[in-house]
Amino acid sequence: MDQDQPAPMVDNRLTEIGRLSPKQLRKRGLEWFIEGDNHDYFAPELLRLADNEIAAFSQPAGELYERLLLAARKAGEQEMWKAAGIPPNAVEAVDYSLRREWGNHLVGRFDFAGGLDGVPLKMLEFNGDTLSLMPETLSVQPLMLDMLPRRERKNARQWNHLRTGLVKGLQKILQRYPNRPANLLLIGLGHEEDWLNLDVIEMAAKQAGFEEVHRAPMEEVIFSEEEGIFLEVEHEEYLRYDFVFKMAPWEFIAYEEPELMGLLTQIIKRDLCVILNPAYSMLLQSKALLPLLGELGGLHPAMLKATRSATDFPNQRYAEKPIYGRTGDNLRLFDGTSQPVAENDGDYGHLPRIYQELAPFNVDSDGDRYQPSVYIAGGEACALCFRRQDGLIVDDDAEFVGHYVTT
């Protein structure tokens, strides 16, 4: 396809299914997603893909994941902590984790631009720690598939093996630590979205062979650098956990809870608990790793140019991103002038920035952008979902768009 020729709109891929009802979601404990201002969060259409188009998402995602892992490992070996965006109080944990916990990374999510109708697939970022969208992808997408018109539904399926990937990854981790009791504590920061995402982990953990799975908000958990991680289950009766999955990001702990960062560092180094995702996930989460990929030999055709300075883009067409930003916060887009064409406020304005080449998106006739996301679980690309945004920055206001695959 000619680079100057606009790509076809995705409208002919959209099949109307209507809105999910509150009753459908309430039955599965997912009604939070459409409460209040979120009533239109789930799009009333599904996006159609052909069988042979799935490989165009899965293969690059798998290759990019391997390159990110390689770059993370090399950054650690060369002690490039500052360049990779690791704050000083997290270096000890990340370094130890790279050397002693390699292979424990359980789940992450790539966000891409393009990928359909001749628009090249380009990686925007990798959410390497405490990602979201898991319940929407795993549990809501199949509900949407069931709403397809009968003529479409007959041969339709989804590329949606997130639970299988999580189970496989958790089984590998159990096999790596055969002498540990198979008990798992799921920790959230108290947000409803945390618990819904942890529901997915709990489901997979029980299927993988964890015998006890409990959950607790962070403030109820006891962290001891001498003994490990505990809950008080009865008055003065404590249960120690050998495995923990946390929805508190490592960077949040390092920046906002430095005392806890110190405790977790000692817990990891003394082999008192296996924490998931492991501390080296902080490297995968850091967008500062993207400029390092070229230096460390990890470039890929689906990668965008990324640097540490806006002066590397003399045409002034780039995205400015904080290294640990989430949901489009503190993101600014420049399209040829010194003033941003789009920007979001947020909580990450104090962090270092990277600068990334702008990427073309697939759009519909309303001008809405479609952002595909591919999950990595158990070390492999395993599931796909989309989000749709009516502005230039895909953020918390985006709609969730399910997909289906036909022959």
Side-chain angles (χ1 to χ4, degrees):
M1 177 178 164
D2 189 323
Q3 200 170 15
D4 297 325
Q5 181 182 343
M9 303 293 179
V10 300
D11 299 69
N12 64 348
R13 292 177 175 271
L14 295 171
T15 301
E16 187 78 26
I17 59 169
R19 297 278 182 191
L20 289 162
S21 72
K23 183 179 178 182
Q24 285 173 290
L25 294 167
R26 195 176 301 117
K27 192 174 177 182
R28 292 160 179 83
L30 298 169
E31 66 274 14
W32 175 84
F33 285 113
I34 58 167
E35 289 177 350
D37 293 339
N38 294 330
H39 66 278
D40 57 354
Y41 174 54
F42 294 114
E45 308 94 7
L46 283 179
L47 190 68
R48 186 183 69 254
L49 287 86
D51 258 332
N52 60 359
E53 290 179 313
I54 292 299
F57 291 99
S58 62
Q59 185 174 332
E63 293 167 352
L64 286 163
Y65 183 60
E66 291 302 318
R67 282 163 171 75
L68 284 170
L69 288 174
L70 178 66
R73 197 156 202 174
K74 285 185 175 180
E77 289 169 355
Q78 298 177 31
E79 299 185 353
M80 303 172 73
W81 305 118
K82 185 176 181 180
I86 304 301
N89 68 336
V91 167
E92 193 177 359
V94 174
D95 182 41
Y96 182 86
S97 182
L98 280 169
R99 290 184 287 107
R100 299 295 296 274
E101 299 181 324
W102 192 252
N104 281 5
H105 185 251
L106 177 63
V107 60
R109 190 192 77 230
F110 281 105
D111 290 337
F112 289 105
L116 298 171
D117 303 323
V119 180
L121 187 75
K122 295 293 182 181
M123 180 185 82
L124 301 173
E125 59 195 46
F126 182 62
N127 302 276
D129 187 28
T130 63
L131 60 152
S132 58
L133 300 181
M134 289 193 288
E136 297 99 303
T137 300
L138 179 64
S139 302
V140 178
Q141 278 200 122
L143 295 179
M144 300 169 90
L145 184 67
D146 288 342
M147 295 172 66
L148 270 176
R150 187 173 298 175
R151 68 182 184 278
E152 296 275 352
R153 192 166 66 235
K154 185 176 179 184
N155 296 312
R157 61 183 180 86
Q158 290 176 333
W159 184 49
N160 193 0
H161 308 297
L162 179 56
R163 185 191 296 189
T164 302
L166 288 168
V167 170
K168 179 181 175 183
L170 288 163
Q171 285 173 336
K172 284 181 179 177
I173 288 166
L174 278 177
Q175 290 163 9
R176 200 168 287 134
Y177 301 95
N179 298 322
R180 289 185 179 274
N183 60 21
L184 173 67
L185 177 61
L186 306 172
I187 300 176
L189 288 176
H191 309 299
E192 182 64 24
E193 190 175 8
D194 285 359
W195 304 126
L196 292 170
N197 278 278
L198 288 171
D199 283 343
V200 175
I201 302 299
E202 179 173 2
M203 216 179 339
K206 289 177 176 176
Q207 191 174 337
F210 280 89
E211 295 162 8
E212 288 189 78
V213 183
H214 303 147
R215 58 175 67 197
M218 179 77 82
E219 64 265 22
E220 293 181 10
V221 181
I222 300 163
F223 299 93
S224 166
E225 64 180 77
E226 302 290 342
E227 299 179 79
I229 298 177
F230 297 81
L231 276 185
E232 186 175 12
V233 291
E234 298 286 347
H235 180 60
E236 294 189 355
E237 182 182 331
Y238 301 92
L239 182 59
R240 180 180 176 275
Y241 291 89
D242 280 76
F243 298 89
V244 161
F245 185 96
K246 55 167 191 54
M247 282 298 289
W250 280 107
E251 72 270 15
F252 169 82
I253 296 169
Y255 286 113
E256 305 295 333
E257 299 287 345
E259 184 179 347
L260 178 58
M261 189 72 227
L263 289 171
L264 291 177
T265 299
Q266 295 309 311
I267 288 168
I268 293 168
K269 290 187 70 176
R270 291 171 179 170
D271 202 23
L272 297 173
C273 185
V274 177
I275 300 175
L276 305 171
N277 279 316
Y280 72 78
S281 305
M282 196 173 181
L283 276 168
L284 302 176
Q285 179 73 25
S286 172
K287 296 176 188 66
L289 192 65
L290 300 179
L292 289 177
L293 277 166
E295 299 168 30
L296 299 173
L299 287 177
H300 185 277
M303 288 196 61
L304 295 162
K305 175 184 175 181
T307 76
R308 302 181 193 92
S309 173
T311 59
D312 293 317
F313 295 89
N315 61 3
Q316 293 186 305
R317 298 190 72 252
Y318 59 85
E320 177 189 285
K321 300 180 174 185
I323 61 172
Y324 288 113
R326 292 169 181 260
T327 63
D329 282 6
N330 301 106
L331 177 63
R332 301 203 300 169
L333 303 181
F334 294 82
D335 195 12
T337 68
S338 59
Q339 293 301 313
V341 293
E343 62 182 319
N344 276 356
D345 294 330
D347 299 325
Y348 308 102
H350 61 289
L351 294 174
R353 312 297 176 96
I354 65 136
Y355 302 84
Q356 186 182 56
E357 176 186 358
L358 295 180
F361 282 73
N362 287 102
V363 298
D364 60 25
S365 56
D366 292 329
D368 293 349
R369 294 177 157 211
Y370 288 73
Q371 179 174 290
S373 293
V374 176
Y375 285 85
I376 300 288
E380 298 175 1
C382 62
L384 173 70
C385 68
F386 290 81
R387 279 177 293 172
R388 177 168 69 192
Q389 183 76 37
D390 60 2
L392 295 178
I393 298 175
V394 179
D395 56 26
D396 266 353
D397 292 330
E399 289 179 285
F400 182 90
V401 183
H403 76 282
Y404 71 104
V405 183
T406 58
T407 52

